[in-house]
Amino acid sequence: MALLEVKDLKVRVEEREILHGLTLTVNEGEVHAIMGPNGSGKSTLSHVIAGKPGYEVTDGQILFKGEDLLEMDPNERAAKGVFLAFQYPVEIPGVATMTFLRTALNAQRKARGESEYSTPDFLRKVREVSKSLNIPQDMLKRGVNVGFSGGEKKRNEVLQMALFEPSLCILDEMDSGLDIDALRIAADGVNALRSPKRAMVVITHYQRLLNYIVPDVVHVMSKGRVVKSGGKELALELEASGYAQFEDAA
Amino acid sequence: MNVAVAKTGNGRAVSDLFASAEGRLPGSPSVIAVRREAFETYERLGLPHRRIEEWKYTDLRALVGEVLPLAASPDAAALKRAADAIKAHAIAGARKLVLVDGVFVADLSDVKALASEAGLRTLREALEKDAGLLEAAATDAVIALNAALATDGVVLSIADGAQLSAPIQIIHIATASSASAFSRSQIAVGNGARATIIESFVAAGAKAYQVNDAVIVSVGDNADVAHIRLLDDAPDAVNVTSQFVTVGANTKLNFFNMTTGAAVSRLQGFITLAGEGSDLSINGVNLLQKTEHGDTTLVVDHAVPNCVSREVFRAVIDDRAHSVFQGRIIVRPDAQKTDGKMMTRALLLSDEAEADNKPELEIFADDVSCGHGATAGALDDSLLFYLKARGLPEKQAQALLIQAFVGEAIEQIADDGLREHVIGIAERWLERRQ
């Protein structure tokens, strides 16, 4: 079943069109990789799906579980099951990680008409998940991402993904700023979350990440469109020949 | 010419006020004479206005206009309402001293529990002896007016070496609408003593009232004092408070003020570091909405060498509210090795919110480290989006960031229960803007 349907999407930022009619369908249980050179519109796509302000959708639509995503506020999208793992997770001094996690989780549950987690249940769940991701408890006591290394910030994103149990995860350049060990830990966390009901869109510039998170489908983006789609072998092909061939195609 | 206008404008109303209040004011004939003199000072000056430099941003003539008549002594119904208000505002474990419409009420206070640890008199009792407590720097019109009309207050003395086992909470409760309460208190903390003093200003059903409070604080040597002031008056009230603080040597004084109420409020603090090696920390939080006007004006006087003073002030300003912070640090010629700094940050939640910051350094010594900084800005959009992308609705995301913004100042309160109480007041303020 189609979880995410992006249809002929056109997006502008400050009068400049970035996406020129992008179409993409992601089914439940699938992992899609979106690759492309800098400036091809990969991050714009992730931001528009999550609802970041500053982007003007001039044409096309985004359906999520058949509903019009563009009509929803970012928090409503999150409650429906859309999760964006940020390329650069922000630091929020003064907001304790645990407070943040609990407030966010309960806000999503409330929006879905579910009961809020009790403190013991919540703590048990966080402990369980953080242990599997190798996140020390004292990291959770600090302000959100404050003083975290690049790897810790990405692990914190994966922790949230595991806690919130979204049905669509968009990983925006998860590999940026990570050394190989940090990348492996984060990727292991992501792989553990793969399930027949959950889809993932992995946005990356390099093929390297896809050695760890192996996609079902690879799309190549160039100049605001998907110019080629294929199996995982397409990523290897790109690694060998580069993006130049697609720049002309677009 | 302006002065003449002021006198006919405000003078007559106050003359009537003093004449009608005189019979209720405590004190011997000599005390009454001091009051009359203070009152004449007030008459001569009138309510402060923008042409007086210290009141430039808080023009009481424009904001308040007139001084309301003195509130009647609280009757049984008022005391009943006050008792209910105490339940909502008392801090668990603290010993309460309650002033209702400016009058000390022993029946609502923990007089007995306090007796073993601190000396307590009322202003009324203290004025039977002499007028000493009314004689504080009456050059400012609102202070002079307070001296003229102060009906009551608490006179607390904490002996040398005393270690208070529980905080003392002075609760000012307003029950009378469209009336004024004038109170004046003294807190004397002895050498080596350790104490936590809280002052709370709340309403019990009263509307459009005015509070004029004065507090004279003296802290001895080697003492450790936490002084917390929580202004949570009715949204249409006026509160003008003047504090005179003298700090001895090697003492630690932690002052915290939070303003979450009153249409117009001004806290003016005059703090003198009179003994070497002391550490003064002042933290302030203003949470203002609608058309509220909140002013914190501090003068920190380093009169001796080797003291540290830190002022951290946070203002959160919504709608068309107006926050004022004026901080002056004076370093006297002898006060070498002074380390005095102030930092003020304003968070503007609307385009019409206003923050005025006026730092002043008057440095007469040559080997000091002094500085000030000020910032003003809106909530960070990237932080807001991150929180919303995690499921928090706009207002809840804002609330979390606002709490973080003021948290740095609130964190300075060491006592867990007290800090939770203060956070609770801030949370209720946030709920009011949802």
Side-chain angles (χ1 to χ4, degrees):
Chain A
M1 182 194 139
L3 189 67
L4 176 73
E5 296 164 89
V6 180
K7 295 179 184 171
D8 199 29
L9 189 70
K10 293 183 181 169
V11 174
R12 277 191 204 183
V13 178
E14 290 169 356
E15 302 300 306
R16 195 172 137 247
E17 193 168 273
I18 308 285
L19 299 182
H20 312 287
L22 184 138
T23 296
L24 176 74
T25 301
V26 179
N27 296 312
E28 277 184 340
E30 292 177 350
V31 174
H32 288 232
I34 297 182
M35 303 185 68
N38 290 326
S40 59
K42 304 186 300 289
S43 285
T44 295
L45 175 64
S46 70
H47 291 160
V48 172
I49 293 172
K52 187 173 181 174
Y55 296 90
E56 189 196 351
V57 176
T58 54
D59 203 3
Q61 61 178 166
I62 305 178
L63 299 180
F64 180 68
K65 297 176 183 170
E67 290 184 80
D68 185 355
L69 205 58
L70 296 173
E71 286 296 306
M72 299 178 206
D73 287 333
N75 50 299
E76 293 172 311
R77 301 180 196 199
K80 291 274 182 195
V82 176
F83 183 92
L84 169 65
F86 284 57
Q87 183 181 2
Y88 302 111
V90 294
E91 298 191 7
I92 314 180
V95 177
T97 303
M98 287 299 252
T99 307
F100 159 69
L101 293 175
R102 190 168 172 208
T103 309
L105 182 60
N106 282 335
Q108 291 192 22
R109 293 180 66 88
K110 194 177 164 195
R112 292 193 292 262
E114 298 165 7
S115 65
E116 296 188 2
Y117 266 102
S118 70
T119 305
D121 285 351
F122 169 75
L123 290 175
R124 199 174 306 119
K125 205 169 153 74
V126 173
R127 234 175 263 136
E128 200 180 283
V129 176
S130 55
K131 204 174 163 195
S132 72
L133 285 167
N134 202 11
I135 292 175
Q137 294 297 307
D138 77 292
M139 215 172 105
L140 300 174
K141 288 177 188 150
R142 284 188 259 160
V144 176
N145 292 325
V146 176
F148 286 21
S149 69
E152 287 173 328
K153 283 180 184 169
K154 295 297 165 76
R155 264 186 278 160
N156 193 15
E157 296 289 284
V158 180
L159 167 69
Q160 294 170 45
M161 213 188 290
L163 266 182
F164 303 154
E165 303 178 82
S167 38
L168 175 67
C169 303
I170 301 160
L171 313 180
D172 189 4
E173 308 265 3
M174 202 180 95
D175 45 343
S176 67
L178 294 196
D179 61 34
I180 205 78
D181 292 328
L183 180 61
R184 187 176 293 129
I185 294 172
D188 286 349
V190 171
N191 284 329
L193 295 172
R194 292 178 77 149
S195 96
K197 285 282 169 196
R198 181 172 294 139
M200 295 188 183
V201 176
V202 182
I203 292 171
T204 183
H205 189 75
Y206 301 105
Q207 192 270 338
R208 185 180 71 162
L209 175 64
L210 304 181
N211 289 335
Y212 298 97
I213 304 172
V214 180
D216 302 304
V217 186
V218 174
H219 306 277
V220 181
M221 261 185 89
S222 180
K223 296 180 181 169
R225 284 192 190 89
V226 171
V227 291
K228 188 168 185 182
S229 300
K232 63 186 174 201
E233 63 288 347
L234 181 56
L236 294 167
E237 194 185 307
L238 277 172
E239 186 78 357
S241 59
Y243 290 116
Q245 48 174 324
F246 298 107
E247 310 240 315
D248 301 331
Chain B
M1 196 182 84
N2 290 329
V3 173
V5 172
K7 198 166 180 179
T8 50
N10 293 314
R12 185 173 300 130
V14 172
S15 295
D16 293 344
L17 172 65
F18 190 73
S20 66
E22 199 173 346
R24 283 193 44 219
L25 297 173
S28 61
S30 67
V31 170
I32 296 294
V34 171
R35 287 182 182 279
R36 192 181 301 277
E37 199 181 317
F39 165 71
E40 281 165 12
T41 300
Y42 170 76
E43 264 201 318
R44 193 175 67 248
L45 298 171
L47 275 177
H49 52 82
R50 69 173 73 86
R51 288 182 303 277
I52 295 170
E53 185 58 26
E54 290 81 0
W55 293 84
K56 183 178 169 188
Y57 299 108
T58 301
D59 185 330
L60 285 188
R61 283 191 202 175
L63 290 165
V64 175
E66 58 165 354
V67 176
L68 296 170
L70 195 64
S73 289
D75 57 17
L79 293 177
K80 172 76 178 60
R81 285 208 302 283
D84 290 340
I86 290 171
K87 284 181 201 131
H89 299 285
I91 290 162
R95 274 137 193 187
K96 303 180 296 291
L97 296 173
V98 177
L99 290 154
V100 179
D101 300 327
V103 177
F104 181 72
V105 181
D107 288 348
L108 295 175
S109 303
D110 298 322
V111 177
K112 250 192 199 144
L114 192 67
S116 61
E117 296 196 340
L120 172 68
R121 285 182 301 160
T122 62
L123 178 76
R124 185 168 286 271
E125 288 162 352
L127 291 178
E128 283 166 12
K129 254 176 60 191
D130 62 66
L133 280 176
L134 298 181
E135 289 163 351
T139 48
D140 181 313
V142 298
I143 300 166
L145 188 61
N146 179 281
L149 296 172
T151 45
D152 213 346
V154 298
V155 179
L156 258 179
S157 77
I158 295 160
D160 288 353
Q163 312 284 306
L164 292 196
S165 62
I168 295 172
Q169 185 184 15
I170 302 168
I171 311 180
H172 294 258
I173 303 173
T175 72
S177 295
S178 306
S180 281
F182 293 85
S183 49
R184 179 171 287 226
S185 295
Q186 184 182 48
I187 301 164
V189 181
N191 297 329
R194 189 187 174 90
T196 297
I197 315 278
I198 303 136
E199 297 176 87
S200 301
F201 291 85
V202 300
K207 287 193 170 61
Y209 59 89
Q210 297 176 350
V211 173
N212 182 331
D213 183 46
V215 189
I216 301 153
V217 180
S218 64
V219 184
D221 301 340
N222 302 302
D224 186 350
V225 175
H227 182 182
I228 286 103
R229 181 175 179 274
L230 305 171
L231 192 158
D232 200 13
D233 272 308
D236 51 4
V238 175
N239 184 315
V240 178
T241 294
S242 310
Q243 296 196 339
F244 308 90
V245 182
T246 312
V247 183
N250 301 311
T251 276
K252 202 169 166 240
L253 173 59
N254 228 314
F255 177 74
F256 175 88
N257 177 69
M258 184 163 81
T259 298
T260 49
V264 178
S265 66
R266 157 106 158 184
L267 167 64
Q268 43 181 9
F270 307 92
I271 302 111
T272 303
L273 290 159
E276 288 191 42
S278 283
D279 189 338
L280 171 69
S281 167
I282 301 177
N283 289 280
V285 174
N286 268 4
L287 300 176
L288 305 174
Q289 52 187 302
K290 309 267 168 46
T291 56
E292 290 168 356
H293 179 107
D295 174 343
T296 302
T297 293
L298 301 170
V299 180
V300 173
D301 188 344
H302 284 262
V304 295
N306 295 313
C307 286
V308 177
S309 66
R310 285 286 176 276
E311 298 168 49
V312 175
F313 187 77
R314 296 273 183 279
V316 179
I317 316 158
D318 203 357
D319 307 318
R320 292 166 59 207
H322 185 182
S323 182
V324 178
F325 178 80
Q326 304 187 102
R328 183 191 297 172
I329 298 175
I330 303 168
V331 182
R332 302 286 169 186
D334 289 341
Q336 300 294 2
K337 306 286 181 195
T338 286
D339 178 355
K341 294 190 178 64
M342 57 187 148
M343 179 67 207
T344 156
R345 290 176 63 195
L347 183 56
L348 304 166
L349 299 177
S350 106
D351 292 342
E352 292 177 286
E354 188 178 339
D356 285 301
N357 290 310
K358 194 173 105 182
E360 289 176 284
L361 300 177
E362 290 179 13
I363 301 173
F364 301 101
D366 55 10
D367 184 13
V368 302
S369 164
C370 288
H372 63 81
T375 65
L379 284 171
D380 186 326
D381 283 337
S382 66
L383 303 191
L384 272 178
F385 175 63
Y386 187 80
L387 294 175
K388 285 195 279 189
R390 294 299 177 255
L392 272 69
E394 173 84 24
K395 287 279 182 181
Q396 207 180 348
Q398 287 187 7
L400 206 57
L401 295 178
I402 293 167
Q403 276 176 296
F405 178 78
V406 299
E408 199 182 329
I410 294 177
E411 288 304 312
Q412 302 299 320
I413 299 172
D415 185 280
D416 291 343
L418 192 50
R419 196 173 55 247
E420 288 304 315
H421 181 90
V422 171
I423 290 169
I425 297 173
E427 282 173 350
R428 283 199 294 281
W429 183 87
L430 286 166
E431 281 160 20
R432 288 206 292 274
R433 69 178 290 270
Q434 299 285 323

